[in-house]
Amino acid sequence: FWSPDSRKIAFIDKAMEIFIYDLAADTTTGVDKGLYFYQGALQGFTASWSSDSRWLAYARDLDTRSAAIFLYDLKENRSHQVTSGYYNDANPVFDPDGKYLYFLTNRTFNPIYGDIVDSFPASRGALCRRRSDAIAPTRRAPWTSARPPGPRAAASRSSTAPRTAAPNTASS
């Protein structure tokens, strides 16, 4: 995966180790290591660069066998887990401006009650928004979960306005 500045390449090897190769410095830096990236998961590994080539976003499996989204900061040479790992999160992608990080997730809050449930959770889209008050990733996580802007977000903002009762027009 080429960086936007065309100076670095992110890749994963068969030992499930994630690396970044810097062409100008002719160095390879270890980023992280997957735990259970066997067969299709290893072949389907994806990574996404921020537009300034500072951050590398990728999903990695955890001891719980779920996957979480991680961000690797090239300035700090440090990886940050940005989703909980309680749900399966995958395929992170930065938007062109680097303000949002989109990813797929298996989280759903629609419980189904019954004796037999023959359905599986479907992946849904989600995003993280860059926090404006994040100064240093080593002191504070630079990303926070956010709802995408749109009609639902606008509706939730307008629903916080005080409500007045309708006048009673019924005659007695």
Side-chain angles (χ1 to χ4, degrees), residues 8 20 29-31 49 52-56 71-80 130 134-143:
K8 298 167 205 69
I20 295 175
T29 305
V31 171
W49 289 94
D52 62 357
S53 298
R54 177 180 174 180
W55 299 91
L56 177 71
L71 289 176
Y72 183 78
D73 182 357
L74 273 75
K75 285 188 179 179
E76 299 287 331
N77 291 325
R78 186 170 171 214
S79 194
H80 304 272
R130 180 91 164 107
I135 297 169
T138 56
R139 286 184 247 142
R140 171 179 282 185
W143 297 86

Side-chain angles (χ1 to χ4, degrees), residues 38-105:
Y38 301 112
Q39 299 168 352
L42 182 60
Q43 189 176 18
F45 176 80
T46 62
S48 175
W49 289 94
S50 62
S51 58
D52 62 357
S53 298
R54 177 180 174 180
W55 299 91
L56 177 71
Y58 60 95
R60 182 179 67 77
D61 49 356
L62 304 170
D63 288 328
T64 61
R65 302 278 175 135
S66 290
I69 304 297
F70 288 81
L71 289 176
Y72 183 78
D73 182 357
L74 273 75
K75 285 188 179 179
E76 299 287 331
N77 291 325
R78 186 170 171 214
S79 194
H80 304 272
Q81 182 177 340
V82 296
T83 60
S84 68
Y86 186 74
Y87 306 97
N88 264 332
D89 300 322
N91 298 37
V93 177
F94 282 99
D95 76 317
D97 296 329
K99 186 176 179 182
Y100 294 100
L101 178 69
Y102 295 91
F103 59 98
L104 295 177
T105 182

